[in-house]
């Protein structure tokens, strides 16, 4: 079975690096994208799952999620909202995502959430 691919969209380079290492160590194939390239990256090669920061400058995570949900190429891809915002649950509802994780992360919860949505590698 091919390795499952995860796309991480976040404006924080440290978060991208930490999540990429964690998920690579768990044997997922990981791609990262800046907020401005998020939609193009997801549509050009749809991943098995998207980790999406909800609070980014320039590009709104809710709008990114809604755009990806509306496109048939990515409408089926599970999206996990990530944010340090106190209102993460409200943002997740507005974005119509599959799950929400609050920063700072509990890495076991990150992995269990992903495994619950797409299985392990």
């Amino acid at each position: 079975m091919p390795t499952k691919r995860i796309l991480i969209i976040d404006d924080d380079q440290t978060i991208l690096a930490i999540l990429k290492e964690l998920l690579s160590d768990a044997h997922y194939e990981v791609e990262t994208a800046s907020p401005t390239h998020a939609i193009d990256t997801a549509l050009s090669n749809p991943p098995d799952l998207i980790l999406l920061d909800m609070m980014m400058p320039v590009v709104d995570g809710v709008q990114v999620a809604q755009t990806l949900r509306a496109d048939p190429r990515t409408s089926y891809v599970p999206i996990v909202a990530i944010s340090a915002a106190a209102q993460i649950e409200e943002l997740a509802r507005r974005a119509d995502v599959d799950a929400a994780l609050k920063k700072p992360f509990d890495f076991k919860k990150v992995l269990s959430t992903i495994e619950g949505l797409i299985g392990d590698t």
Side-chain angles (χ1 to χ4, degrees), residues 10-21 105 107:
D10 201 310
D11 61 306
D12 184 323
Q13 294 301 314
T14 302
I15 296 289
L16 288 173
I18 291 169
L19 285 172
K20 185 172 185 171
E21 183 174 341
F105 300 117
F107 293 120

Side-chain angles (χ1 to χ4, degrees), residues 15 21 40 42 53 78 92 95 109 112:
I15 296 289
E21 183 174 341
D40 289 340
D53 186 9
K109 184 166 173 97
S112 68

Side-chain angles (χ1 to χ4, degrees), residues 67-105:
T67 300
L68 295 174
R69 285 283 188 242
D71 193 294
R73 292 171 286 181
T74 51
S75 61
Y76 63 92
V77 175
I79 300 173
V80 178
I82 55 176
S83 181
Q87 69 273 26
I88 179 128
E89 295 300 330
E90 173 58 28
L91 291 169
R93 272 191 296 283
R94 286 186 22 230
D96 187 28
V97 298
D98 300 277
L101 295 169
K102 186 146 176 59
K103 295 177 186 176
F105 300 117

